[in-house]
Amino acid sequence: MKEHKIKEVDALLEKMEQEGSLGLRTFKTYTHKMSIEEVLAARKHNKTEFVDHLRSMVDYNKEHEGFFNVITTEHTDLSDITAKTIDDTVVISMGARFTDQKGIDIAAGVIKAINKEWKTLYPDKPMPLFVIGGQDTSGGKYRELVTKTIKELGEDGKHVVQIDGWCPNNILQGGADFAW
């Protein structure tokens, strides 16, 4: 565990490590040589690990504002994504530099459109989880756009999580149903 100069941070990291919420536990690999059942089991495992880790980050940030580089609103809540609902919860992720060429504005529009129509199209399914993040190299323009989008969604934005700064794309992709 990395040493920090701030005692509060050290204590929090130690607590998180004891609870098993520091770092992703393990992602399972799968190949084309495996049966479809084995692939689906590995994907479900990875999705569950990803969502559990993300939930831990969101929950810790509520108690210790700004500890992780996760931007949330008062509506952010992943507690209803459980072992019983994980199969029906669509996880969509995007990790990219927030620049003009990456389409962050398009992604924000997609998040709005899907959230707006989801309950009508899929009334018996949980709202999807969107995870979007990256380093904003445009002076904050796209970070502000995504944050504004989440706030405009209000309660419907409870499953939209923004990561501010570098994002491990292999983890975002490995834990998602759809990644772009």
Side-chain angles (χ1 to χ4, degrees):
M1 185 167 67
K2 188 175 178 181
E3 292 295 319
H4 294 275
K5 305 244 186 248
I6 303 170
K7 289 181 183 181
E8 181 180 315
V9 172
D10 283 338
L12 181 59
L13 287 171
E14 187 173 319
K15 178 182 176 189
M16 290 174 68
E17 187 171 48
Q18 289 170 355
E19 293 174 355
S21 61
L22 186 62
L24 288 169
R25 278 58 109 200
T26 54
F27 266 22
K28 293 185 178 182
T29 58
Y30 50 90
T31 71
H32 66 285
K33 295 180 181 181
M34 297 170 74
S35 72
I36 191 68
E37 291 81 15
E38 292 171 311
V39 170
L40 291 174
R43 287 184 55 90
K44 180 178 181 175
H45 169 83
N46 295 349
K47 182 177 176 180
T48 301
E49 285 287 307
F50 176 65
V51 171
D52 286 348
H53 185 67
L54 191 63
R55 185 183 308 108
S56 295
M57 292 171 62
V58 167
D59 291 346
Y60 268 98
N61 261 21
K62 287 181 180 178
E63 295 175 28
H64 304 83
E65 189 173 328
F67 185 78
F68 290 107
N69 60 335
V70 177
I71 298 173
T72 59
T73 69
E74 65 274 7
H75 299 293
T76 306
D77 181 12
L78 307 181
S79 65
D80 59 333
I81 304 174
T82 65
K84 290 181 181 180
T85 63
I86 193 78
D87 286 338
D88 289 333
T89 303
V90 177
V91 178
I92 303 169
S93 69
M94 178 181 189
R97 283 176 293 113
F98 281 22
T99 65
D100 293 338
Q101 68 198 58
K102 298 295 183 175
I104 304 302
D105 52 340
I106 295 169
V110 167
I111 291 169
K112 270 187 190 177
I114 290 175
N115 269 299
K116 181 180 176 186
E117 300 296 327
W118 190 266
K119 290 177 184 175
T120 302
L121 295 172
Y122 309 103
D124 298 331
K125 301 286 184 187
M127 292 291 287
L129 169 61
F130 291 93
V131 183
I132 182 168
Q135 180 78 33
D136 192 327
T137 57
S138 66
K141 171 171 86 173
Y142 290 112
R143 179 187 312 112
E144 290 172 14
L145 173 64
V146 173
T147 302
K148 179 182 172 200
T149 299
I150 295 169
K151 288 181 179 180
E152 286 174 358
L153 289 169
E155 179 66 28
D156 287 341
K158 74 180 193 169
H159 287 176
V160 183
V161 177
Q162 179 180 359
I163 300 174
D164 184 29
W166 179 82
C167 293
N169 284 345
N170 56 339
I171 293 172
L172 289 177
Q173 294 167 356
D177 295 305
F178 302 99
W180 86 88

